[in-house]
Amino acid sequence: MPKRSPRRQRSRRPLEDIQPRTPSPPAQTAGTGTAEAGTVRWRVHVGGRVHSAPYVTDGTVYVTGRGVWAVDRADGSVRWTNADAGRMGSPTAAGDTVYSAGYAAYWGTMLALDATDGRPRWHRRMKRYSTTQPLVANGLLHYVNGSRYLRTVDAATGRRRWRAKYQHRGWGTESAPALADGILYAAGKDGTVWAFDPATGKVRWKQRIIGRLPATPLLHDGTLYVGDGLGPHVQALDAATGAFRWRTLLDSVGSIRTTPAISGNTLYVGCQDHRLWALNATTGAVRWHVTTDGPIDSSPVVSGGTVYFGSDDGHLWAISAENGRVRWKVRTGGPVMSPVVADGVLYVGSRDGYLYAIEASPAPGRPLP
């Protein structure tokens, strides 16, 4: 019988041994520089590949690399890390607590960490790992893992409130829950979208969409937008009833594995066919698309008339939200994940192991297209 690797054994040490740490020597931080047209304020190595978006709040960026890292927004200095929290999904911060899925001996955990120093406040063991971002609202923590259930616990104590069976066990990644206007949404691997009462778990409606392994849906102005995780369908549902508003089949052989973004009446969708698509948010009609040199595993974000997104070609792209014209792109050492924009700065992780802070503006001296 093959031996387990030392790395796997370390990652599964008992939860009682969790100890937050500050790296020694400090993690590498590069000074301000330029890459093509974007300005890099700083970058910091977070111990391992980044597979998800960071979470930005107040003066801190929380990101999952090798563990969860708390990084100062101003200069990229590391405040703390916790090697047992964090798997692949983004952490979530609420008040003075950071929530993240993590590791334990032969199963996963859900942890609540002190935002000041990263020490655990409570944890819940799981029989399966979670690779998605937990959702916190109104004192409740909602999360999913590879099991059949959507789970809700008390955010302060970790005690279970309710759970609801919403999918069958099977292969493939799960999508994170989403909340808007008092309704909690979860998309199952079989392509069924569910709407729950977040306080009780009572089902309000469910709707079978085209495709399987749907990405985390986007909720905006009474509409739920969701992409087909195994194909090029984009669908819009009435958020209150689940009724279809429109379905669009992109002229593509790719799949949509990320959450769309919206600005005005335009929906922006990243696809594995290397393209970012712009659709009419009311009708689903295609407006334009822009092509990169790699699959897009990044959810886009829109700010100030610019769409920002990462590509597996190693670049963070900035394009005109109006017509898709490229404004600039910044190269990293690996596929680029979903960015977050805050106060004119983009925070984004790459599979090269770095968290980047990049100016979220067109290049100096260049007019907006």
Side-chain angles (χ1 to χ4, degrees):
M1 185 173 182
K3 296 181 179 179
R4 292 192 181 96
S5 68
R7 180 177 178 181
R8 181 173 294 277
Q9 289 173 347
R10 286 195 300 269
S11 70
R12 288 181 169 181
R13 63 186 180 274
L15 189 64
E16 288 74 13
D17 291 340
I18 288 178
Q19 291 296 330
R21 61 183 177 87
T22 300
S24 180
Q28 179 181 355
T29 303
T32 301
T34 58
E36 298 190 32
T39 300
V40 179
R41 285 190 172 188
W42 52 257
R43 66 173 187 168
V44 59
H45 198 274
V46 292
R49 296 181 177 183
V50 180
H51 293 273
S52 57
Y55 190 94
V56 181
T57 179
D58 299 326
T60 306
V61 185
Y62 300 99
V63 64
T64 299
R66 187 170 178 82
V68 169
W69 295 62
V71 178
D72 189 282
R73 281 179 58 184
D75 59 12
S77 59
V78 177
R79 294 181 172 175
W80 54 260
T81 75
N82 188 310
D84 290 280
R87 182 164 172 82
M88 293 178 67
S90 304
T92 296
D96 60 357
T97 306
V98 180
Y99 301 90
S100 174
Y103 299 88
Y106 304 104
W107 47 64
T109 57
M110 183 60 62
L111 299 103
L113 309 177
D114 189 302
T116 302
D117 57 17
R119 295 184 180 275
R121 291 180 166 173
W122 58 256
H123 68 269
R124 286 186 63 90
R125 297 184 186 272
M126 299 184 289
K127 293 183 179 179
R128 292 176 178 264
Y129 292 115
S130 176
T131 59
T132 63
Q133 184 178 31
L135 172 65
V136 183
N138 301 318
L140 299 176
L141 174 69
H142 311 281
Y143 66 95
V144 298
N145 55 20
S147 74
R148 298 172 292 175
Y149 296 98
L150 168 66
R151 303 172 189 272
T152 294
V153 300
D154 186 285
T157 65
R159 293 177 180 173
R160 191 172 83 177
R161 289 291 188 87
W162 57 264
R163 70 177 187 174
K165 182 179 176 181
Y166 78 110
Q167 65 178 0
H168 298 289
R169 289 182 183 143
W171 65 273
T173 58
E174 64 271 9
S175 65
L179 178 70
D181 299 325
I183 302 178
L184 181 66
Y185 302 90
K189 296 177 184 179
D190 65 350
T192 301
V193 178
W194 297 72
F196 298 95
D197 184 302
T200 66
K202 181 180 178 180
V203 176
R204 295 195 175 184
W205 56 259
K206 62 179 180 178
Q207 177 66 268
R208 183 72 170 84
I209 63 172
I210 296 174
R212 294 172 61 85
L213 305 181
T216 301
L218 168 72
L219 291 134
H220 178 78
D221 197 22
T223 302
L224 185 148
Y225 303 94
V226 61
D228 177 0
L230 291 181
H233 291 92
V234 185
Q235 294 155 88
L237 309 178
D238 185 291
T241 66
F244 279 100
R245 291 188 169 174
W246 53 260
R247 302 170 181 157
T248 294
L249 175 62
L250 302 179
D251 183 16
S252 169
V253 295
S255 56
I256 300 165
R257 300 180 182 175
T258 60
T259 303
I262 194 167
S263 180
N265 197 40
T266 303
L267 187 73
Y268 303 94
V269 183
C271 187
Q272 290 284 298
D273 67 358
H274 301 197
R275 290 182 281 186
L276 184 90
W277 296 76
L279 311 179
N280 183 302
T282 302
T283 66
V286 175
R287 290 181 166 171
W288 50 260
H289 60 77
V290 62
T291 303
T292 72
D293 294 320
I296 298 176
D297 288 311
S298 161
S299 299
V301 63
V302 188
S303 178
T306 302
V307 184
Y308 304 97
F309 64 97
S311 170
D312 284 6
D313 66 10
H315 289 91
L316 174 69
W317 291 71
I319 65 172
S320 167
E322 181 180 355
N323 54 34
R325 190 174 302 168
V326 177
R327 290 180 171 168
W328 53 259
K329 57 183 180 178
V330 170
R331 182 169 182 80
T332 74
V336 180
M337 299 298 101
S338 304
V340 173
V341 61
D343 299 325
V345 179
L346 284 157
Y347 301 93
V348 63
S350 169
R351 290 187 191 169
D352 65 4
Y354 283 92
L355 171 69
Y356 292 81
I358 301 171
E359 293 286 345
S361 61
R366 293 192 179 187
L368 294 178

